[in-house]
Amino acid sequence: MIQPPAPSSAVPEIFDRRIRRIRRDRAARTFADHAFLRDRMVEDMLDRLDSVKRSFTRALDLGTADGSLAAALRQRGIETIAADAGFAFAQAAGGVQCDEDRLPFAAGSFDLVVSAGALDSVNDLPGALTLIRRALRPDGLFLAAFFGAGSLPRLRAALMAADEAVGGGTVARIHPQIDVRAAGDLLSRAGFTLPVADVDHARIRYADPLRLVGDLRGMAATNILRDRRHTALTRAHLPHLFEAFAAQADGDGRVTELVEIIHLTAWSPGPDQPRPARRGSGRASLADALKPRPQ
């Protein structure tokens, strides 16, 4: 089943792989205290899986984190391999440590691949999706969820205001994220069939911006950009951060923050899947259909 990872491509890497592993290892200790957004992803993904009218025998849980999704699949009678970029998560789940764009699995190893809360911080996402499709058997299912573009607009605004107030210029503290349209396009480019991408809008409320940052850190969702120069919050930033965050608060003093969760559903190509009709093969004329009917 296991084979050496393919050589890395020339895709520019914006994320620091080492820091990503370290952040996931640190988060593993208290992950359950901060994982409410990932728990929401997992619950939604399981609902989607239960609506599929077919059975699965062997699954890969990619970015297993606390192993809750893998455990739920096993309870459904599906043999499940857990994998994570972090050693602590992979070890606790009895799984494999690997990056999503460097999968060590042979083609056709699984009939189901799931991933909750991990793919938004992968360097080569198109490559990762292609490897996932290859790891699936024909007519295998892929389900994923991750944070999308448009997430945390109020925290972003408060951080930018603090940077401007201190006078050092704004810096990237929250990494770039993909939007739902681009996610759907990437599925098609990777060779999936019947691709669907949609968005779940989660709203979370905080009075303290550092509490929000703490939850992001606890779920291993803080900055892992390779260029993290000048991104640390200093004491000079803090009063401006609190002021800008509080300026966006509701009447009760809490800020309603938005998190976009992108869900992906797609299938690996299979011989029995429905296919669009060949262009020009239609027998009905649109012109005839639009003609007025006799009274």
Side-chain angles (χ1 to χ4, degrees), residues 155 158-159 161-162 207-211 233-249 253 255:
L155 179 60
L159 288 168
D208 182 345
L210 295 186
R211 177 71 181 274
L233 287 174
T234 66
R235 289 187 177 181
H237 284 90
L238 294 182
H240 304 292
L241 173 62
F242 274 87
E243 180 182 3
F245 195 75
Q248 305 173 83
V255 173

Side-chain angles (χ1 to χ4, degrees), residues 41-105:
M41 295 181 194
V42 169
E43 182 178 359
D44 199 340
M45 290 174 65
L46 291 172
D47 286 343
R48 292 168 187 244
L49 180 62
D50 289 341
S51 69
V52 177
K53 305 302 182 183
R54 60 162 291 183
S55 59
F56 300 93
T57 60
R58 196 161 193 268
L60 170 64
D61 177 18
L62 195 54
T64 191
D66 61 356
S68 58
L69 181 51
L73 295 178
R74 290 170 185 145
Q75 289 176 356
R76 286 163 167 76
I78 303 172
E79 178 190 356
T80 303
I81 303 298
D84 200 278
F87 174 77
F89 280 142
Q91 183 184 51
V96 178
Q97 183 183 13
C98 62
D99 291 336
E100 294 81 353
D101 52 358
R102 295 177 176 176
L103 294 184
F105 304 103

Side-chain angles (χ1 to χ4, degrees), residues 139-152:
D139 204 27
L141 177 62
F142 172 52
L143 294 174
F146 53 87
F147 297 145
S151 295
L152 306 175

